[in-house]
Amino acid sequence: MVDNGKALGPTVERLPPVEAVVIFTRVAETGSFTAAARAMGVPLATVSKRVAELEEHLGVRLIARTTRRSSLTEPGKRFLIHGRLIVDALQRATDEAAHAVAEPSGRLRLTMSSVLVEAGLGRIVARFVAANPKLRCEIDVSDRYVDLVAEGYDLAVRVGKLKDSSLIRRKIGSTEASMFAAPSLIAAHGMPSRPGELAGCPLIGEQIAPSESQTWALHHDAHKPVKIEFKPRMSANSVRAIAEAIEAGLGIGRLPTFVGRRMVAEGTAIHVLPGWAGPSLDISLVHAANRGMLPGVRLLIDTFTRETGALL
């Protein structure tokens, strides 16, 4: 391989064929050679041939094939992580090259928790996509922690602290963690009048930890901060799971205030100890540095920044 008469060297020659990487990635994501061929609009024989060429190039088996099914080998699972990044980078390069015009187009991948969708952020995205007809949007509604870079997401909306300091963060709002309980629980145990009385009530924890005990730090504008140590009746690291446990009457739990307010309005919860709350929780948009430069992502960030405050 040469460029202007100069050899590009062995490093370039060792690179796998890009088309084969794209096809392998699609096979892995769709679960079969046939589904990948149908999705890409290419012959099944071409899909099989390109995957075989990639395996020969790498010297490892990526997909274990039987007469009934195909599955990724361990090397295949590891290669898929990088294959997705390669395919995503190609898509980004294509999108950026096509973005000589201002109108956003191409695919935009977004992830947020179910409670944020229910709070109205899903409607913001729907209106944004409707206003940009050349844009395709995929929303992963999940409470799990998503690795934006490894999984190829453009943007995440997250509540609380960030785990990865290498990502770019823009705060779009904040909420406190207030306490709520089902009417049936208050009827059975009574309404606490001060934080110290929480110890006599069943409480719902917010984390999964080896220790049986958890601690709530509570603050009030007119009182000194207090700490409540307790053994939770139930623990969950999902806002939705805590909300459902509260509605089921399992205990008093802390939720982002905008979530609890909606439950109070629906009659499924009562605000416990108004004025007392846990630490403030930031609601932020998070993205890798290179993703924030795409027009569609930039416009969605601006839209969230402008419209989210009224919902929280």
Side-chain angles (χ1 to χ4, degrees):
M1 187 179 295
V2 297
D3 181 20
N4 294 327
K6 295 181 179 180
L8 295 180
T11 300
V12 174
E13 292 177 358
R14 286 200 300 269
L15 293 176
V18 174
E19 182 188 20
V21 175
V22 173
I23 289 176
F24 162 75
T25 303
R26 185 54 64 90
V27 170
E29 291 178 339
T30 59
S32 75
F33 286 77
T34 302
R38 187 182 302 115
M40 301 184 74
V42 298
L44 176 60
T46 299
V47 172
S48 298
K49 181 179 180 181
R50 294 294 180 265
V51 172
E53 289 173 349
L54 180 60
E55 291 176 327
E56 182 178 357
H57 180 91
L58 297 174
V60 295
R61 176 73 71 181
L62 300 174
I63 300 177
R65 307 164 180 80
T66 66
T67 55
R68 294 186 177 182
R69 61 188 298 270
S70 300
S71 60
L72 292 179
T73 63
E74 284 304 315
K77 292 176 182 178
R78 292 194 295 270
F79 190 82
L80 177 60
I81 295 173
H82 303 286
R84 281 173 169 158
L85 293 176
I86 292 169
V87 172
D88 193 57
L90 286 171
Q91 183 64 58
R92 301 301 158 197
T94 301
D95 289 345
E96 289 194 41
H99 282 325
V101 294
E103 186 177 7
S105 62
R107 183 180 66 164
L108 192 157
R109 302 189 74 209
L110 170 71
T111 177
M112 69 173 78
S113 67
S114 58
V115 294
L116 290 173
V117 173
E118 294 165 6
L121 272 67
R123 289 193 298 274
I124 292 177
V125 178
R127 290 195 298 266
F128 175 80
V129 175
N132 295 277
K134 293 185 178 180
L135 194 67
R136 306 187 314 278
C137 185
E138 298 174 3
I139 306 179
D140 173 52
V141 181
S142 172
D143 290 333
R144 72 184 180 91
Y145 178 82
V146 175
D147 187 326
L148 298 187
V149 176
E151 298 183 51
Y153 283 90
D154 298 293
L155 191 66
V157 190
R158 290 183 174 163
V159 180
K161 296 180 179 179
L162 297 186
K163 295 183 179 180
D164 190 341
S165 60
S166 67
L167 299 174
I168 307 298
R169 168 185 174 272
R170 179 186 289 189
K171 180 180 174 181
I172 58 173
S174 64
T175 182
E176 290 184 318
S178 299
M179 291 168 287
F180 299 90
S184 60
L185 185 92
I186 297 302
H189 293 271
M191 174 67 80
S193 59
R194 61 181 187 274
E197 295 179 4
L198 291 171
C201 302
L203 302 179
I204 300 170
E206 301 154 6
Q207 57 186 324
I208 308 299
S211 173
E212 290 187 5
S213 296
Q214 295 188 27
T215 302
W216 280 351
L218 302 175
H219 66 84
H220 191 288
D221 290 341
H223 301 279
K224 292 182 179 180
V226 298
K227 290 186 177 181
I228 306 297
E229 186 171 341
F230 63 97
K231 291 183 179 180
R233 185 178 182 189
M234 172 180 167
S235 294
N237 57 3
S238 159
V239 172
R240 172 47 52 204
I242 293 173
E244 290 176 350
I246 290 172
E247 291 177 338
L250 291 182
I252 298 172
R254 294 197 307 188
L255 292 169
T257 303
F258 70 89
V259 177
R261 277 201 308 259
R262 188 171 63 252
M263 294 166 60
V264 171
E266 294 170 351
T268 59
I270 296 173
H271 194 170
V272 176
L273 294 175
W276 287 97
S280 178
L281 302 171
D282 287 345
I283 300 172
S284 305
L285 301 176
V286 184
H287 61 86
N290 62 323
R291 306 297 173 86
M293 298 304 294
L294 294 174
V297 178
R298 289 202 309 270
L299 285 176
L300 182 55
I301 288 174
D302 292 341
T303 301
F304 270 133
T305 303
R306 185 172 59 252
E307 299 184 20
T308 301
L311 301 174
L312 305 178

